Structures are given as structure tokens and as C-alpha cells.
Amino acid sequence: MSSPYIAARGLGKSFNGKPVLADVSFEVEPGDVVGVLGKNGAGKTTLLELVLGFTPATSGGVQLFGYDSYRLPGAAKARIGFVPQQDELVNQLTAADQIGVIASFYPRWDDELVSRLSREWEVDLHQRVKNMSVGQRQKLSILLGLGHKPDVLILDEPVASLDPVARRQFLEQIIEVAADGNRSVVFSSHIVSDVERLANKIWILKDQRMYWQGDFDSLKDSIVRLHARATQPLPDSFTIPNALSVQRNGTTATAIVQGWRAEMHDDLAQQLGAELEVEQLALEEIFLELHR
Amino acid sequence: MFILKPHSGVPIYRQLLDQIRRMAASGHLPPGTELPSIRDLALKHAINPMTVSKVYTLLEAEGVLERHRGKPMTVAAPKRAQSPVAKRLEQLEPHVEHVALAARQLELTEKDVVKALHDSWEKTDEQSVHRRTRPR
Amino acid sequence: MKAIARLIYTNFTGTALLRFITLAGLVAGIGGSALYLYLPPLVGGSGGQSRFSLAQEAIFRVLPIVGLLCFVFGASLLPTLFARLTTSHYLYVLPHGRTKLLVSAFATVALTSLFAAGIVTTYYFKMPFALDLIFQRAFAVSFVTASFLYVVLWLTGKSGTIGLLVGSFVMIATLVLPLLFIATPSTSLAIPWTACALLWTTFAAGFLLAPTLKAPLGRLRQTFAQLTGSTYRGGGEIDFLIGTARPWTLAAGQIVPIVLATYVMRAVSWAPLAWVFFLTIISVTTGAVASLAATRGRALWLRARWTRAELFRHVEDAFLRYNCYTLGVLLLLLVAIGDWLALPTRMLAFGMGLLALGTTLSTYVGLIVTARIGWRDAALAVIVILALMRTAYLASWPATPTATLVAYQLGLAALALLVREIARRRWSWLDWMLCRADTSVRASA
């Protein structure tokens, strides 16, 4: 197993004494597609900015390709790509010039890829940035992050302003990147359905901490909705272990349970004296339940 | 070729796994059929290629698929004789459970269920297996 | 290297207009200098024989300088590009981004200075001066001036295109200085070179160390904002949304450049005219803030129960209130420094009128900007500034009859009323689809 591209230990950031992120640890391996979820203000952007070395950590540290991210050397920077949440384009330039300026910083730049994608995504390279719509600008920002074929691609809400067609085109491009096997993608998004398709690892940030992280498939297996049906009204002392929430209604109850394993089914059914049905949840529902 | 629903509660990898298994077992994917490359399948369904890779690897380990160097994965010849009944019953189990639960909800007896199953068994034959498993 | 070259290239050719100006500048500058060099000596009406008419000779004399100005303006994307890249995340992510950007800025300024030095030297070609000394002096002075000028362009450019126009005129005004400096060969080269070195070392150090300095600077900025920040007073909504909520910042901010300029002018080459020019230019900077009023007004219009006509009157009031502060400080400085320097009373008196007119006129010109700036608006802005310049020139010339001065100022007042009427009409049918806010413009309190 090759060493991880990104590694963080006890990462924390405070701003003016207020903690924005606390005690976060993770690893990103080559080939991972990590989806970062969290409510607004949970610390997603801060986390990404810490990874890229924009700002120093207050506690702990994070490393990119083995280097402390705050002091990333120039050659390593050529291996990372970043798409910011709000575009940072120069209004006066044409798209082609904007690309040219950014491209000139990198030793390798795939002109063919960028021109092909700009055609497919309908970004007019001869248009001035200030005349572009928000969606066009966002697409251009994404192109700027892809052109040098970075090993690590970090995107902060990259598709917030894109229509569904553009989003799907973007997804397909991320899949191309992931299919390479040696490149990683970390992206934060509110569009949970996109994350659901793409991510193989999920980080959920809640209250400035890493609330859940790990393999996406195990997240889906681990958090389930239980429907319990008993023949007698359920007792008041009715409890379900590891339940995040329980709702009782006479002889039935619904509970969101964390850490579920298939083996637990029979024992629990017996314990409760009820029939259990296990419902697996879509990512958006998992997210909502975790924040209830 | 497959129907995948990324937003259902069932993880994508499991959906794909089950579908390939069933289609290989039913003969809808005859032995030797080439499966799409990881990249192509991922792009077509807009899912993570690692998921596809995981499924292919699992199925290769199970013997359902065969890997060839430099060529796409193919469906392996069925070694049904070697796969014990118990194992195949395990695959059927979720469906059986579902039937049992539904029957109880409808307050039917075990005999009713067995009869219904028998009728259904009679109706199905080789051809209708293929017709039902063909994606719409 | 690729990046540095690309950045320099983009500085000069980033927009179609700039590309044209740079090219025109190169052609005029080089062509004009060549003409000047290879033609028989121009005698300029001093009685000698000449093949050319006076007008033609004037053109030949001025062409290289015009070319130089064009070339310098041609790189006016430098401050914008520099500022935009600096405030973006890209600077952290691009390999050696910070260093390359800095070097490209330095190289661009050096290029324009070389061009300037070359052109200035050609003027001395036929004279008995040591040309390499002239070149060095010209280069050193141009370098400092150009650096300063691009900073000015950046500061004024942040306030939209009118600000850019204003900044350009500041450049013209201050270009007078170095040419005067070069003309007196006795002054040593040490001053400009030291100034150069100091300026750029400080800037480079600050720029490269900015990531480490970000935290303490951020705290400083916060404290400053808390001290000078505007607190919300009921009824002050207009000011917040239009950008006139902090008049004291601009008013106080004027003091430093004026005092500095006065000191430098006194030390190097004193000319009351240049000083009055300078003050007039400073008075025109309010126009830059006003030029954004229309785009910002959209937020105001959504929230208040006013018609567009009423909106205009309220915005106008806000600006007239705002101008009271800036004008007040300017007048104070004019009278105080003018008195201390024993400038003629008449000049001061008319100077006061001039500054008041400058502030008012520029505000109304700014308010005219209700759509993309067309050539008509730009022409009007240029006319206004030229008219102000002309009046300033006349006011500092003792021989001008008072009646003429009064007439000029009345004329300017009439011009102000005219411009106001244009602005009022335009605001009554403001179309906010045409004056969309630039995404980099944020309403500042």
C-alpha cells in the first residue's frame, strides 16, 4: 500500500480564540474520492484550506505528499489542484488568457484536455470573464483545476451554480480522474446525490469535529432505520441500543440506529419482543437523521 | 445492461453485485460474455470506479467472473455443480424472508404460501426466466 | 520563467484596448524617437531655417512622449492582475506563485522604465550631455515613479473605470516631476536609486512574507476597523449601501499624499502650478466612489419606497454630505499650506473655488455612470478634467485677469449643473441589467 497523499493528525484551527475545527484526523490514499459533508459553518472550507496550506493549523498538523502543507515546496504544488467556492478569476481577461496565465505556472498542462472539455461544457474561450454567467465562471474555475492533471484535486462546493446537465458532465470528469487509480479527489458539496454517486469515503463534519469518517458503503450499512412491530403496546422502558432517535406509536416504533450489523437482528427482535424490519437509507436521509 | 439506483438505501456495490450474480446464474449473461471495463461502467452509470472495481474483484474471487490480462472481464463458466445448495439458498433468502413477512402481514397461513409458491413454480420455465430478467 | 513571461505579456495585452494602446505606444515611442533622431535639428520657431511647420515640429517633439504614456498605460492591467491574483487562493496553490508574480511585476515596471529612459535619452541625443548618465538618471527616476504610479492606479482602479481614468490623470500630473528632475543634472543619482531599492525591498519582503504576517496583520486590520468602523445609526442605510458611510477615511487619507507631495516638490522643484494641479486631482477622486453608486443603488431601490427619481435625490444628498468632509479637509490644507508658503491670495481664493468645483463635478460625472462606460461618458470625464486643469493653470498664473478666472469658474459651475441634469435623467430610467455589479465589487460600509 503506497503512502497516503494526505495525512492529518489531531488537526485543529482556532480563529480569535474560537475553535473552527478541532481534533480532526484522516488519511487520503491514491484513488480515493472523498465527499465532505456538513452543515454550513461546520468547518468544511476551513478543513480544505488547512489541507492546502493556506492557513497554519493551531494544533496538530496535516501533510501533503509527506510535506507539511503550510510549507509545501513548489514542485509539490504542481501536483495539487484547487477549485475554490467562489471563483477568483480576473474579470478583464478572456477565458483563454485566464487559462494561459494559470497554465504558465505548471510544467505540464494538457491543452487538449482543456480545449476538449471547454467544447463539451460549452465554455466560450474567447469570451471575457466579466461577461460570463456564474455557471460559466464556475466551469472555467473547474477547468483551471484540471488542466495540469494534479494527483490531488480539492474542490470546495464546485457545482453549486451548475445546472443538472453541467453537473453530470462534471461528475463524469471526476470519474475519469478517479479511474486513473493514482489520483485522489476531495470535494465538499451540499448536493448529496452527487456525493452519493462519486464518493468511496465520506467525512461528515459536525460541530467543528469529524463526526463520522470512513468507507461510504459501511456508512450505508451502519446507519439504518428500524421498524419494530409488536403485538402488545411497547413498554415505556423500551430502548434500542445505539439508537440516535426513537419514535414510538403504540405497538410500532421507528428508530435510527448507528453501528448496525446484520447479526444483531435476531437478538434484538427477541429482546424487544417485536418484529424488526431494517430499512437502509439514502445518504441525504442519513445526513438529516444525524443532524436531527 | 444493469439498473443501478444510487439513492436507494442499498449501497451501489451491493446492487451491482446482486445483479451480476443473478444474471450470471440465470444464464442471461452467458459464460464468455465480456463485461464493460471499470471506467466505462463507472462513466455510464455515473458512479465511482472503485465501486465497480470492488464488485469485479469480489466476483472474481467468487468465481463468477474471470480476469484476463489486458482484456475485459468475462463471465466464467458456471460451476454450479460445485456451488452447494446451501450457498444458493443463501442468495434466495432475502426474497423468501420478504414473502414470509408479507404473508404474515396479510394473515395468510403457511399452506397458502406454499400453494402460491407451487403455482408460481409451475408458471415459470426457462424462457420466462430470461424474459423477466431482461432489463426494461 | 514561462509564468513570468506570460504574466508580463498579459499585463500589456490582457484586454483588446490595452493591446492596442501598448502597440500604439511602442510605434509612437520608437517611431517618434527615430524621427526625432534622424531629422535635422528642430528649431521650434526660434528663427532658424526649418523644413517643417511649427505644428509639425510640435508633433515630432511630443510624439515620443505620447508613445511613452501609451506604453505606460498599456500596462495598466498590472495592478488589477496583481491584486486579483494576490487576494485569490491561487497564489498559495500555484508553484512558486508568489515569487513569480512579484518578479513579473518588477519586470513590467522595469520594462516601462527602460522604455521611458530610452525615450528621454533620445531627447538629449543632440545635446552635449553624457548620455549614459542621462539614461541612468531617467531609468532610476522612471522606476520609482512608475512603481508609485501603478500603486495609485491600483488604489483608484479598485473603484471601477472612472477611478482608473482619475488615476491615469494622477499619473500624468506626477510624470511632470521626474522630467523636471532629470533636467537638473547636478542632483545626484543616489536619491532615486535609494528610493527605488527601499521601495521594492520593503514591498517584496512584505509580499513574500505575507502568509506569515497574515495573522498579526489581520488582527491589526480588525482593531483598525473597530476603531474607525461605522456603527449603524438609524437612517444611515443609504450610506452603508452606497459606500459613503466612512467619509473620514478618505478625508484623512488625503492628508498624507498632499503633505508628502508638497514636501517632495519643495525639495526637488517647486512649481505652484504643479501643486494646485495635484490638489485638483485629489479633489476629483470622490468621483470614483460615485461611479459605483448606480450599481450599488439597486440594493437600495429594492428596500426603500422610492421611485428612481427619489433614489437619485437621496443618493445625491448622501454624496454631498460625504463631500463636505473631504472638501473641508482639502480646503483646510489648501489654505494652511498655501498661507505657509506665502502663495498669492488670489490663487488661494480661486483655488478654493476650484477644489469645490472639482469635488462636485467629479461626483456628478461619477453618477452619470449608469451603464457600461461608453466613449461619450469617457469623453465627458476627460473634458471635465481638462477644464479643471485649464482653470488651475490660469489660476496659478498671476497675469490672468480676475474676470477670466471668474468666468471660467462660472463656466465650470454651469458644467456641473449640466452634468447633474444628465445624471438625473439617466437615473430616472436606470436599467440595472445594464449596470451589473462586478463580482469583485462589494458594498463596503
Side-chain angles (χ1 to χ4, degrees), chain C residues 424-438:
Chain C
R424 196 187 62 79
R425 292 243 180 104
R426 286 201 185 178
W427 275 67
S428 63
W429 43 264
L430 241 182
D431 179 353
W432 272 293
M433 261 199 82
L434 292 176
C435 63
R436 222 183 271 281
D438 197 357

Side-chain angles (χ1 to χ4, degrees), chain A residues 1-6 26-35 151-155 174-175 177-187 198-203 213-216, chain B residues 48-51:
Chain A
M1 178 89 106
S2 47
S3 58
Y5 279 160
I6 311 178
F26 53 80
E27 276 180 2
V28 177
E29 309 276 347
D32 278 345
V33 177
V34 182
D151 288 331
V152 171
L153 183 58
I154 301 199
L155 311 112
I174 297 295
I175 292 173
V177 170
D180 177 292
N182 284 317
R183 299 164 72 180
S184 316
V185 178
V186 179
F187 74 109
L198 283 186
N200 68 309
K201 277 191 181 161
I202 300 276
W203 298 347
Q213 68 179 99
D215 185 52
F216 181 31
Chain B
N48 189 318
M50 259 195 171
T51 310

